[in-house]
Amino acid sequence: MLAFIFSFPLVACLVAATTVQVTDIDDAGVSYSPPEKWSQGADCKVCTIHPDPSEAHDGTWHDTTSPSDEAPHSFELQFIGTGISVFNIICNKQVHGQTTTTSLDFFLDDEESPSQTFTHPPDKTAPDFQFQFPVYTTAGLDNVAHTLRVQAASGVDSFILFDFAQFTRV
């Protein structure tokens, strides 16, 4: 009986947290900049790199190549919660004339400098594509409205295949 009394508050606490998935395509909480530089990957006719849509979350993703001589391409996620994880498709293929290095900066709630960075050059020993690859995770946030801006790193070519994000709210 004593074990039940002590474990009950822990169970109640665990049940209260909910993980919510935000897909990359039709969710009003996701915006892309500049919008004309982003493509819905599964339907892209001009894209040179084509992951298998059946391996992507909900068969969709958004992609862009952000050249070093342009303003960095980005997307923003608005959410209410205590944590967020961003998942991309990572390309390990080397394609002539196309960068496949992913270099990202993450800005949470209007930070001036990135809270985290992520860089992944092609890995010849890995599969051509790695799906549901976590590129950013943070937890312990206040359970309030947040904005996460994911931006190509400045000054380098960056290839981005944004698949989906998950956030936790209480």
Side-chain angles (χ1 to χ4, degrees):
M1 179 69 170
L2 193 55
F4 175 74
I5 292 171
F6 288 120
S7 64
F8 179 72
L10 178 62
V11 171
C13 220
L14 291 175
V15 172
T18 304
T19 299
V20 179
Q21 289 191 349
V22 178
T23 61
D24 65 320
I25 187 163
D26 291 323
D27 194 289
V30 182
S31 61
Y32 300 90
S33 179
E36 69 278 4
K37 299 288 186 169
W38 286 86
S39 298
Q40 199 293 321
D43 298 330
C44 184
K45 304 293 186 237
V46 297
C47 298
T48 57
I49 297 173
H50 301 278
D52 181 353
S54 71
E55 297 288 334
H57 177 74
D58 285 343
T60 66
W61 65 90
H62 264 73
D63 68 39
T64 190
T65 299
S66 186
S68 60
D69 60 351
E70 291 183 11
H73 301 181
S74 64
F75 62 92
E76 283 191 359
L77 300 159
Q78 296 180 357
F79 67 100
I80 296 172
T82 59
I84 186 167
S85 296
V86 176
F87 298 86
N88 281 23
I89 301 169
I90 297 298
C91 182
N92 289 306
K93 293 171 68 169
Q94 294 192 357
V95 178
H96 181 70
Q98 165 74 47
T99 186
T100 54
T101 296
T102 300
S103 296
L104 303 171
D105 291 332
F106 300 89
F107 300 84
L108 185 63
D109 296 333
D110 298 320
E111 294 171 318
E112 293 288 325
S113 50
S115 59
Q116 291 183 35
T117 61
F118 174 86
T119 300
H120 181 88
D123 180 354
K124 296 176 189 175
T125 65
D128 284 350
F129 296 100
Q130 292 175 272
F131 294 88
Q132 300 181 8
F133 196 97
V135 296
Y136 176 83
T137 298
T138 192
L141 303 173
D142 291 336
N143 194 42
V144 298
H146 299 281
T147 300
L148 177 66
R149 181 168 41 99
V150 180
Q151 175 179 297
S154 296
V156 297
D157 294 341
S158 186
F159 181 60
I160 305 170
L161 298 170
F162 168 55
D163 196 7
F164 69 100
Q166 288 182 325
F167 58 91
T168 304
R169 68 173 75 166
V170 179

